[in-house]
Amino acid sequence: MTSSFAPPAPSLRFELPNGMSIAADVHGDPSHQPVLFLHGGGQTRHAWGNTAEGLAAHGFYTICTDHRGHGESGWADEGQYRVFNFVEDLQHVLAQLELKPILVGASLGGIASMLAETAQEESVAKGVVLVDVTPRMETDGVDRIIGFMRGGSSGFESLDEAADSISRYLPHRKRPKDLSGLAKNLRRREDGRYYWHWDPNMLKTWEPSDATDEEGELLTRRLKDVRNLEVPTLLIRGRLSDLVSEQTAAEFLEMVPHAEYVNLADAHHMVAGDRNDVFTDTVAEFLLRRFPTEDTTAKERVQRTPQ
């Protein structure tokens, strides 16, 4: 892989009042029901590519965004990467959509989705799909993710070295021979090394010692508001996840009794990456059943994949 690699340009940008912009890729007809994808911390909009294209083929308009500080979106000058900063960005993006979307959020994106939907009396979304995220997550799993992100902060000599690092972090996945997908999430800097394309200042902000007691208490209270989640909701857990356990999933389902639940076999926290075809079918089945599109042929094709 040469240093001339150029990341694909986003097909849409959402402007924020603070001068930053949120990069997004879109698929499908803009007049159709939108589905807004929000990735996890340290990922980019490319995590959703195959699923977004699949749902667009079923008659949805899909939008995959990069969070602030990630991918091609703006980076905060003063390291403003608190959870509520991401929620505010989401609220500004929602205000620029003509139709209420269905939110599909993984990890950080799922937390932002829950907080945005329960922040006010009127729903901002038609539905919510939470991908391996609940109001309470297992500390060991969170620490493992932060440790992986911190471990790559000094960059990699090559794409192969970065791929080796991922293989150690995700030993259950087969190491890809084609690294073009990985290259979308890395940038080669002037020192010749490859770095994950997210702002390293995020990790400083996410250190537990950097958060005030007031912020922690506010986040805890707001996450308890998930009990007010009334729109159609689906929780998809990776059965091998170390962030969302059976216990924390049960806690969520007790808080939101109308929510549907799918526990995907052979999937860890990165559900969409571990079992993308099954994940896409699962999301499509839920959306087409709860939010039918005009593409009746597609609806008839989709059947729930045995878990």
Side-chain angles (χ1 to χ4, degrees), residues 1-3 155-159 186-188 192-195:
M1 188 66 62
T2 68
S3 60
F156 305 96
E157 184 176 336
S158 65
L159 292 178
L186 291 157
R187 300 293 180 269
R188 197 171 192 180
R193 294 179 66 79
Y194 290 87
Y195 294 83

Side-chain angles (χ1 to χ4, degrees), residues 15-245:
E15 300 301 325
L16 303 179
N18 58 16
M20 291 196 304
S21 66
I22 297 297
D25 286 337
V26 297
H27 303 274
D29 188 331
S31 67
H32 292 176
Q33 171 62 51
V35 181
L36 180 59
F37 288 87
L38 304 158
H39 63 74
Q43 295 183 307
T44 69
R45 66 190 189 278
H46 302 298
W48 304 111
N50 291 338
T51 300
E53 291 179 3
L55 291 182
H58 288 311
F60 294 98
Y61 175 55
T62 59
I63 309 166
C64 304
T65 60
D66 283 334
H67 289 305
R68 66 162 62 196
H70 294 73
E72 309 307 318
S73 287
W75 291 16
D77 292 335
E78 299 179 2
Q80 297 167 318
Y81 296 112
R82 303 293 191 198
V83 170
F84 292 111
N85 294 132
F86 295 98
V87 176
E88 290 173 1
D89 291 348
L90 173 55
Q91 291 170 329
H92 289 304
V93 169
L94 292 171
Q96 297 176 55
L97 299 178
E98 294 186 5
L99 300 173
K100 286 184 180 181
I102 300 155
L103 300 178
V104 180
S107 202
L108 174 62
I111 293 173
S113 298
M114 286 187 282
L115 293 176
E117 172 58 24
T118 57
Q120 50 201 40
E121 292 186 5
E122 182 179 352
S123 292
V124 299
K126 283 192 173 180
V128 174
V129 177
L130 300 173
V131 185
D132 211 63
V133 61
T134 51
R136 184 175 74 84
M137 293 187 289
E138 302 296 341
T139 303
D140 288 347
V142 174
D143 290 344
R144 196 169 76 91
I145 289 179
I146 298 298
F148 170 72
M149 293 177 67
R150 188 181 293 113
S153 58
S154 60
F156 305 96
E157 184 176 336
S158 65
L159 292 178
D160 282 306
E161 185 181 346
D164 290 340
S165 175
I166 293 176
S167 292
R168 289 191 295 272
Y169 175 62
L170 303 173
H172 60 284
R173 283 195 196 176
K174 185 178 180 181
R175 188 184 187 281
K177 295 181 180 179
D178 181 1
L179 302 183
S180 59
L182 173 61
K184 294 179 181 178
N185 298 314
L186 291 157
R187 300 293 180 269
R188 197 171 192 180
R189 298 184 187 171
E190 294 181 357
D191 62 3
R193 294 179 66 79
Y194 290 87
Y195 294 83
W196 297 119
H197 200 44
W198 43 261
D199 189 345
N201 286 321
M202 281 193 303
L203 292 182
K204 300 176 183 178
T205 305
W206 293 350
E207 289 290 346
S209 59
D210 194 47
T212 66
D213 291 340
E214 182 179 356
E215 289 173 329
E217 291 174 1
L218 176 60
L219 180 59
T220 298
R221 289 200 305 271
R222 287 289 307 278
L223 285 173
K224 287 183 178 179
D225 288 342
V226 73
R227 295 181 183 276
N228 300 324
L229 197 60
E230 297 180 348
V231 297
T233 302
L234 170 65
L235 170 62
I236 302 177
R237 173 181 179 258
R239 193 173 297 176
L240 303 177
S241 172
D242 57 356
L243 271 86
V244 176
S245 63

